[in-house]
Amino acid sequence: PEGSAERPPSLAEKPSPAPPSPPTRPAGPRVLVVDDHQPVRELVRAFLEAAGFETVIVPTAAEALKTLREPVDLVISDLYMPGMDGLSLYREVVARHPRLHRRFLLMTGGLVTEAVQEFLGEQKGALLRKPFSRQQLLDAVRDVLGGSNGSR
């Protein structure tokens, strides 16, 4: 009979494909790592990601400030970097994101001057000396996070 032939479905009748799933993110705290030496950034990332942390790595303080448009639970920064150093970065981060006041870990393989020691004492800041082991890094991170799993 006429009109009984199957018609291909129109575009309007086709089921829409499922939307792509958002990328899965690790459940752990999100950590921003700032160091001008790529091997250090990569090592810290490897240690943290193996322990379940989500990491974002950048080579400069300027890039760190841009990255902080997205929330993080902790900032780990080299103390001595070209341009803005770790102390200046700390001050700028805290001015923009006061909740990160006690969520900042400085690391250095260099000399810790009296001025740096005073700053750390006044701010109750944390310092990790390079070279460090995986366990030393994780212990320092957990100390700064206060044993919590962070809150953005």
Side-chain angles (χ1 to χ4, degrees):
E2 200 173 305
S4 66
E6 281 191 38
R7 293 181 308 165
S10 71
L11 289 177
E13 295 171 342
K14 286 186 181 176
S16 59
S21 333
T24 56
R25 289 183 28 175
R30 188 167 190 246
V31 180
L32 173 59
V33 179
V34 189
D35 197 298
D36 56 318
H37 293 101
Q38 183 179 4
V40 174
R41 291 192 306 270
E42 294 295 339
L43 180 68
V44 172
R45 181 202 324 240
F47 284 168
L48 292 175
E49 288 184 354
F53 292 89
E54 177 186 356
T55 60
V56 178
I57 60 172
V58 296
T60 66
E63 287 188 50
L65 293 171
K66 289 178 194 171
T67 301
L68 284 171
R69 292 179 185 142
E70 294 292 321
V72 299
D73 299 300
L74 172 68
V75 177
I76 300 176
S77 175
D78 191 16
L79 180 57
Y80 300 111
M81 298 181 289
M84 183 184 291
D85 67 7
L87 295 184
S88 300
L89 176 61
Y90 170 86
R91 290 182 187 102
E92 190 62 32
V93 166
V94 170
R96 296 180 187 194
H97 308 279
R99 64 180 184 73
L100 291 172
H101 174 65
R102 298 269 192 259
R103 298 290 182 105
F104 207 98
L105 173 61
L106 290 166
M107 55 185 178
T108 186
L111 178 68
V112 178
T113 65
E114 189 173 318
V116 169
Q117 290 174 350
E118 285 176 20
F119 175 86
L120 292 170
E122 290 167 7
Q123 301 303 319
K124 302 202 179 356
L127 178 70
L128 180 62
R129 291 185 180 268
K130 300 175 192 172
F132 48 80
S133 69
R134 177 181 181 275
Q135 192 59 53
Q136 288 169 321
L137 172 66
L138 295 177
D139 288 348
V141 165
R142 289 184 179 117
D143 285 349
V144 172
L145 290 175
S148 73
N149 50 359
S151 61
R152 284 170 227 163

